[in-house]
Amino acid sequence: MSALSFRTATKDDLPAIVALLADDEIAENREQATVSDEYVKAFAAMEGEHYNRMLLAESGAKIVGCLQLVFVPALSRKGTKRAIIESVRVAADLRGQNVGTALMKEAIRLAREGGCGLVQLTSDKRRARAHLFYRRLGFVQSHVGFKKDL
Amino acid sequence: MSALSFRTATKDDLPAIVALLADDEIAENREQATVSDEYVKAFAAMEGEHYNRMLLAESGAKIVGCLQLVFVPALSRKGTKRAIIESVRVAADLRGQNVGTALMKEAIRLAREGGCGLVQLTSDKRRARAHLFYRRLGFVQSHVGFKKDL
Protein backbone atom coordinates (compact mmCIF):
# COMPACT_ATOMS: atom_id res chain seq x y z
CA MET A 1 0.00 0.00 0.00
CA SER A 2 1.27 3.50 -0.88
CA ALA A 3 1.44 6.18 1.80
CA LEU A 4 -1.93 7.54 2.90
CA SER A 5 -3.14 11.05 2.29
CA PHE A 6 -6.34 12.73 3.42
CA ARG A 7 -8.72 15.25 1.87
CA THR A 8 -12.34 16.40 1.82
CA ALA A 9 -14.49 14.63 -0.79
CA THR A 10 -15.85 16.32 -3.89
CA LYS A 11 -18.77 15.24 -6.07
CA ASP A 12 -16.41 13.23 -8.31
CA ASP A 13 -15.66 10.93 -5.37
CA LEU A 14 -19.27 9.83 -4.97
CA PRO A 15 -18.95 6.48 -6.79
CA ALA A 16 -16.03 5.42 -4.59
CA ILE A 17 -17.75 6.61 -1.39
CA VAL A 18 -21.04 4.91 -2.20
CA ALA A 19 -19.20 1.66 -2.97
CA LEU A 20 -17.44 1.87 0.42
CA LEU A 21 -20.71 2.56 2.25
CA ALA A 22 -22.33 -0.51 0.69
CA ASP A 23 -19.39 -2.82 1.33
CA ASP A 24 -20.35 -3.60 4.92
CA GLU A 25 -22.22 -6.57 6.33
CA ILE A 26 -24.53 -4.48 8.50
CA ALA A 27 -25.12 -1.58 6.11
CA GLU A 28 -25.32 -3.44 2.80
CA ASN A 29 -29.10 -3.88 3.00
CA ARG A 30 -29.72 -0.19 3.49
CA GLU A 31 -27.37 1.12 0.79
CA GLN A 32 -27.08 0.86 -2.99
CA ALA A 33 -23.76 0.15 -4.68
CA THR A 34 -24.37 2.72 -7.42
CA VAL A 35 -24.83 6.48 -7.23
CA SER A 36 -28.57 7.05 -7.26
CA ASP A 37 -30.23 10.47 -7.16
CA GLU A 38 -30.62 10.25 -3.39
CA TYR A 39 -26.84 10.19 -2.91
CA VAL A 40 -26.31 13.05 -5.38
CA LYS A 41 -28.90 15.21 -3.62
CA ALA A 42 -27.51 14.40 -0.18
CA PHE A 43 -23.98 15.24 -1.24
CA ALA A 44 -25.13 18.54 -2.74
CA ALA A 45 -26.67 19.40 0.64
CA MET A 46 -23.39 18.61 2.41
CA GLU A 47 -21.05 20.28 -0.06
CA GLY A 48 -20.11 23.82 0.71
CA GLU A 49 -21.39 23.55 4.30
CA HIS A 50 -18.54 24.59 6.55
CA TYR A 51 -19.61 22.24 9.34
CA ASN A 52 -20.11 19.00 7.41
CA ARG A 53 -17.73 16.98 5.21
CA MET A 54 -16.79 13.54 4.01
CA LEU A 55 -13.14 12.95 4.82
CA LEU A 56 -11.29 10.53 2.53
CA ALA A 57 -8.15 8.44 2.93
CA GLU A 58 -6.29 7.85 -0.34
CA SER A 59 -3.48 5.47 -1.14
CA GLY A 60 -1.98 6.49 -4.46
CA ALA A 61 -5.01 7.40 -6.58
CA LYS A 62 -7.34 4.95 -4.80
CA ILE A 63 -9.87 5.97 -2.17
CA VAL A 64 -9.39 3.43 0.63
CA GLY A 65 -11.43 4.89 3.47
CA CYS A 66 -14.01 7.50 4.39
CA LEU A 67 -15.84 9.00 7.30
CA GLN A 68 -18.27 11.85 7.81
CA LEU A 69 -17.04 14.61 10.11
CA VAL A 70 -19.54 17.14 11.48
CA PHE A 71 -18.77 20.08 13.78
CA VAL A 72 -21.64 21.19 16.00
CA PRO A 73 -21.49 24.25 18.28
CA ALA A 74 -23.43 23.46 21.46
CA LEU A 75 -24.20 24.90 24.89
CA SER A 76 -23.63 21.78 27.01
CA ARG A 77 -20.33 21.26 28.82
CA LYS A 78 -19.81 25.01 29.11
CA GLY A 79 -20.32 25.63 25.43
CA THR A 80 -18.19 22.81 24.06
CA LYS A 81 -18.20 22.43 20.28
CA ARG A 82 -18.64 18.77 19.36
CA ALA A 83 -17.26 16.77 16.47
CA ILE A 84 -19.58 13.96 15.41
CA ILE A 85 -18.22 11.09 13.31
CA GLU A 86 -20.45 8.89 11.16
CA SER A 87 -20.11 6.26 8.42
CA VAL A 88 -16.55 5.08 9.03
CA ARG A 89 -15.48 2.68 6.28
CA VAL A 90 -12.24 1.08 5.08
CA ALA A 91 -11.89 -0.80 1.77
CA ALA A 92 -12.35 -4.53 2.41
CA ASP A 93 -8.97 -5.51 0.98
CA LEU A 94 -7.13 -3.06 3.23
CA ARG A 95 -8.73 -3.75 6.58
CA GLY A 96 -6.36 -4.60 9.41
CA GLN A 97 -3.62 -2.33 8.01
CA ASN A 98 -4.26 0.72 10.18
CA VAL A 99 -6.06 2.74 7.49
CA GLY A 100 -8.96 3.28 9.90
CA THR A 101 -6.65 4.33 12.70
CA ALA A 102 -4.88 6.88 10.50
CA LEU A 103 -8.18 8.21 9.17
CA MET A 104 -9.64 8.57 12.67
CA LYS A 105 -6.49 10.31 13.88
CA GLU A 106 -6.78 12.79 11.01
CA ALA A 107 -10.44 13.40 11.93
CA ILE A 108 -9.45 14.00 15.55
CA ARG A 109 -6.69 16.39 14.43
CA LEU A 110 -9.18 18.33 12.29
CA ALA A 111 -11.65 18.41 15.19
CA ARG A 112 -9.03 19.92 17.52
CA GLU A 113 -7.99 22.39 14.82
CA GLY A 114 -11.65 23.34 14.38
CA GLY A 115 -12.04 24.15 18.08
CA CYS A 116 -13.93 21.05 19.16
CA GLY A 117 -13.56 19.90 22.77
CA LEU A 118 -15.25 16.55 22.33
CA VAL A 119 -15.55 13.98 19.58
CA GLN A 120 -18.37 11.45 19.63
CA LEU A 121 -19.82 8.63 17.57
CA THR A 122 -22.14 5.70 17.84
CA SER A 123 -21.48 2.18 16.64
CA ASP A 124 -23.96 -0.63 16.07
CA LYS A 125 -24.09 -2.96 19.09
CA ARG A 126 -23.07 -5.86 16.83
CA ARG A 127 -19.74 -4.30 15.78
CA ALA A 128 -17.60 -5.77 18.59
CA ARG A 129 -14.32 -5.32 16.67
CA ALA A 130 -15.16 -1.71 15.91
CA HIS A 131 -15.81 -1.08 19.61
CA LEU A 132 -12.34 -2.36 20.47
CA PHE A 133 -10.94 -0.16 17.68
CA TYR A 134 -12.55 2.97 19.12
CA ARG A 135 -11.45 2.16 22.68
CA ARG A 136 -7.86 1.81 21.45
CA LEU A 137 -8.18 5.31 19.98
CA GLY A 138 -9.04 6.63 23.45
CA PHE A 139 -12.83 6.70 23.17
CA VAL A 140 -14.87 5.87 26.27
CA GLN A 141 -17.97 3.72 25.87
CA SER A 142 -20.00 5.88 28.23
CA HIS A 143 -23.31 6.16 26.40
CA VAL A 144 -26.03 4.14 24.74
CA GLY A 145 -27.20 5.10 21.28
CA PHE A 146 -30.86 5.36 20.28
CA LYS A 147 -32.24 5.69 16.77
CA LYS A 148 -35.74 6.15 15.42
CA ASP A 149 -36.69 5.94 11.77
CA LEU A 150 -39.04 8.71 10.65
CA MET B 1 -49.10 23.80 34.75
CA SER B 2 -50.27 26.01 31.85
CA ALA B 3 -50.41 24.59 28.33
CA LEU B 4 -47.03 24.03 26.71
CA SER B 5 -45.74 25.92 23.72
CA PHE B 6 -42.52 25.47 21.78
CA ARG B 7 -40.08 27.83 20.11
CA THR B 8 -36.44 28.24 19.11
CA ALA B 9 -34.29 29.92 21.76
CA THR B 10 -32.84 33.41 21.43
CA LYS B 11 -29.94 34.94 23.32
CA ASP B 12 -32.30 36.29 25.98
CA ASP B 13 -33.14 32.71 26.95
CA LEU B 14 -29.56 31.83 27.86
CA PRO B 15 -29.92 32.24 31.67
CA ALA B 16 -32.89 29.84 31.74
CA ILE B 17 -31.19 27.33 29.45
CA VAL B 18 -27.92 27.36 31.37
CA ALA B 19 -29.82 26.84 34.64
CA LEU B 20 -31.62 23.84 33.10
CA LEU B 21 -28.37 22.34 31.81
CA ALA B 22 -26.78 22.58 35.27
CA ASP B 23 -29.80 21.15 37.12
CA ASP B 24 -28.88 17.54 36.44
CA GLU B 25 -27.10 15.05 38.68
CA ILE B 26 -24.76 13.82 35.93
CA ALA B 27 -24.09 17.12 34.18
CA GLU B 28 -23.90 19.44 37.19
CA ASN B 29 -20.13 19.02 37.57
CA ARG B 30 -19.43 19.99 33.99
CA GLU B 31 -21.73 23.03 33.79
CA GLN B 32 -21.97 26.41 35.50
CA ALA B 33 -25.28 27.76 36.77
CA THR B 34 -24.56 31.26 35.46
CA VAL B 35 -24.06 32.52 31.92
CA SER B 36 -20.29 32.70 31.46
CA ASP B 37 -18.56 33.89 28.29
CA GLU B 38 -18.22 30.30 27.01
CA TYR B 39 -22.01 29.92 26.84
CA VAL B 40 -22.46 33.30 25.17
CA LYS B 41 -19.86 32.48 22.51
CA ALA B 42 -21.29 29.01 21.91
CA PHE B 43 -24.79 30.39 21.51
CA ALA B 44 -23.56 33.02 19.06
CA ALA B 45 -22.04 30.20 16.96
CA MET B 46 -25.37 28.34 16.98
CA GLU B 47 -27.64 31.32 16.38
CA GLY B 48 -28.52 31.96 12.79
CA GLU B 49 -27.30 28.53 11.66
CA HIS B 50 -30.16 26.91 9.81
CA TYR B 51 -29.17 23.40 10.91
CA ASN B 52 -28.69 23.94 14.64
CA ARG B 53 -31.07 25.21 17.31
CA MET B 54 -32.08 25.03 20.95
CA LEU B 55 -35.75 24.13 21.14
CA LEU B 56 -37.62 25.34 24.22
CA ALA B 57 -40.80 24.24 25.95
CA GLU B 58 -42.62 27.03 27.73
CA SER B 59 -45.47 26.93 30.21
CA GLY B 60 -46.93 30.42 30.52
CA ALA B 61 -43.86 32.66 30.54
CA LYS B 62 -41.61 30.02 32.15
CA ILE B 63 -39.07 27.94 30.23
CA VAL B 64 -39.63 24.40 31.48
CA GLY B 65 -37.59 22.29 29.07
CA CYS B 66 -34.99 22.40 26.35
CA LEU B 67 -33.14 20.26 23.86
CA GLN B 68 -30.67 20.84 21.07
CA LEU B 69 -31.88 19.82 17.62
CA VAL B 70 -29.36 19.46 14.79
CA PHE B 71 -30.10 18.50 11.17
CA VAL B 72 -27.24 16.82 9.33
CA PRO B 73 -27.35 15.90 5.62
CA ALA B 74 -25.47 12.63 5.15
CA LEU B 75 -24.72 9.99 2.50
CA SER B 76 -25.38 6.85 4.56
CA ARG B 77 -28.71 5.03 4.30
CA LYS B 78 -29.17 6.26 0.73
CA GLY B 79 -28.60 9.87 1.56
CA THR B 80 -30.76 10.09 4.67
CA LYS B 81 -30.70 13.42 6.47
CA ARG B 82 -30.33 12.85 10.22
CA ALA B 83 -31.70 14.77 13.16
CA ILE B 84 -29.44 14.62 16.21
CA ILE B 85 -30.81 15.47 19.63
CA GLU B 86 -28.59 16.56 22.53
CA SER B 87 -28.96 18.08 25.99
CA VAL B 88 -32.54 17.15 26.81
CA ARG B 89 -33.63 18.78 30.07
CA VAL B 90 -36.89 19.32 31.96
CA ALA B 91 -37.24 21.64 34.97
CA ALA B 92 -36.87 19.60 38.18
CA ASP B 93 -40.27 20.63 39.61
CA LEU B 94 -42.09 19.54 36.44
CA ARG B 95 -40.53 16.15 35.79
CA GLY B 96 -42.95 13.25 35.43
CA GLN B 97 -45.62 15.48 33.87
CA ASN B 98 -44.94 14.65 30.21
CA VAL B 99 -43.06 17.86 29.42
CA GLY B 100 -40.19 15.79 28.03
CA THR B 101 -42.52 13.66 25.96
CA ALA B 102 -44.20 16.70 24.44
CA LEU B 103 -40.85 18.38 23.76
CA MET B 104 -39.44 15.25 22.10
CA LYS B 105 -42.57 14.87 19.99
CA GLU B 106 -42.19 18.47 18.82
CA ALA B 107 -38.53 17.79 17.94
CA ILE B 108 -39.57 14.69 15.96
CA ARG B 109 -42.26 16.70 14.17
CA LEU B 110 -39.71 19.38 13.23
CA ALA B 111 -37.26 16.69 12.06
CA ARG B 112 -39.89 15.18 9.75
CA GLU B 113 -40.87 18.63 8.51
CA GLY B 114 -37.17 19.33 7.84
CA GLY B 115 -36.82 16.24 5.66
CA CYS B 116 -34.98 14.00 8.14
CA GLY B 117 -35.44 10.24 7.80
CA LEU B 118 -33.80 9.32 11.08
CA VAL B 119 -33.51 10.85 14.52
CA GLN B 120 -30.75 9.79 16.86
CA LEU B 121 -29.33 10.57 20.27
CA THR B 122 -27.05 9.15 22.91
CA SER B 123 -27.78 8.90 26.60
CA ASP B 124 -25.36 8.30 29.45
CA LYS B 125 -25.32 4.62 30.47
CA ARG B 126 -26.37 5.60 34.01
CA ARG B 127 -29.65 7.24 32.92
CA ALA B 128 -31.85 4.14 33.17
CA ARG B 129 -35.08 6.14 33.44
CA ALA B 130 -34.17 8.20 30.40
CA HIS B 131 -33.56 5.03 28.40
CA LEU B 132 -37.06 3.81 29.20
CA PHE B 133 -38.39 7.24 28.22
CA TYR B 134 -36.72 7.09 24.80
CA ARG B 135 -37.90 3.52 24.17
CA ARG B 136 -41.46 4.60 24.93
CA LEU B 137 -41.07 7.28 22.26
CA GLY B 138 -40.22 4.58 19.71
CA PHE B 139 -36.44 4.80 19.81
CA VAL B 140 -34.45 1.59 19.40
CA GLN B 141 -31.38 1.05 21.60
CA SER B 142 -29.35 -0.32 18.72
CA HIS B 143 -26.00 1.41 19.19
CA VAL B 144 -23.30 2.10 21.73
CA GLY B 145 -22.06 5.65 22.17
CA PHE B 146 -18.40 6.60 22.40
CA LYS B 147 -16.96 9.94 23.45
CA LYS B 148 -13.44 11.28 23.61
CA ASP B 149 -12.43 14.56 25.22
CA LEU B 150 -10.03 16.62 23.12
Side-chain angles (χ1 to χ4, degrees), chain A residues 31 52 68 73 76-77 82 86-87 117 119-121 123 125 140-148 150, chain B residues 31 52 68 73 76-77 82 86-87 117 119-121 123 125 140-148 150:
Chain A
E31 305 292 351
N52 190 2
Q68 183 177 7
S76 284
R77 301 172 189 243
R82 294 171 192 238
E86 297 277 354
S87 308
V119 55
Q120 65 186 50
L121 57 89
S123 181
K125 277 181 176 179
V140 179
Q141 198 174 326
S142 54
H143 283 62
V144 294
F146 291 89
K147 293 191 196 281
K148 179 181 166 75
L150 299 183
Chain B
E31 305 293 351
N52 190 2
Q68 184 178 7
S76 286
R77 301 172 190 241
R82 294 170 192 238
E86 298 277 354
S87 308
V119 57
Q120 65 186 50
L121 59 89
S123 181
K125 279 180 174 178
V140 179
Q141 198 173 327
S142 54
H143 283 62
V144 294
F146 291 90
K147 294 191 195 279
K148 178 181 166 75
L150 300 182

Side-chain angles (χ1 to χ4, degrees), chain B residues 47-60:
Chain B
E47 204 168 24
E49 289 283 8
H50 62 96
Y51 69 96
N52 190 2
R53 77 183 96 178
M54 286 299 292
L55 180 65
L56 303 179
E58 281 185 314
S59 173

Side-chain angles (χ1 to χ4, degrees), chain B residues 10-146:
Chain B
T10 68
K11 192 180 172 188
D12 292 342
D13 301 311
L14 264 180
I17 297 169
V18 168
L20 280 174
L21 293 177
D23 184 17
D24 176 84
E25 59 184 356
I26 288 177
E28 63 183 354
N29 293 323
R30 59 188 189 223
E31 305 293 351
Q32 292 179 329
T34 53
V35 181
S36 58
D37 277 358
E38 296 109 313
Y39 291 112
V40 173
K41 283 181 190 163
F43 193 78
M46 291 177 65
E47 204 168 24
E49 289 283 8
H50 62 96
Y51 69 96
N52 190 2
R53 77 183 96 178
M54 286 299 292
L55 180 65
L56 303 179
E58 281 185 314
S59 173
K62 192 188 170 199
I63 293 169
V64 296
C66 69
L67 59 77
Q68 184 178 7
L69 181 62
V70 184
F71 293 170
V72 180
L75 292 174
S76 286
R77 301 172 190 241
K78 297 180 193 161
T80 295
K81 190 195 280 189
R82 294 170 192 238
I84 300 175
I85 290 175
E86 298 277 354
S87 308
V88 181
R89 293 287 191 287
V90 170
D93 57 337
L94 292 174
R95 287 176 199 159
Q97 295 184 55
N98 295 317
V99 173
T101 300
L103 181 60
M104 285 293 295
K105 285 186 173 172
E106 173 66 4
I108 290 165
R109 188 189 72 73
L110 290 167
R112 279 206 185 92
E113 185 181 88
C116 297
L118 181 72
V119 57
Q120 65 186 50
L121 59 89
T122 67
S123 181
D124 191 292
K125 279 180 174 178
R126 295 167 286 178
R127 297 191 194 272
R129 289 185 60 193
H131 303 170
L132 182 60
F133 168 73
Y134 294 125
R135 285 197 294 272
R136 281 186 181 143
L137 282 161
F139 285 80
V140 179
Q141 198 173 327
S142 54
H143 283 62
V144 294
F146 291 90

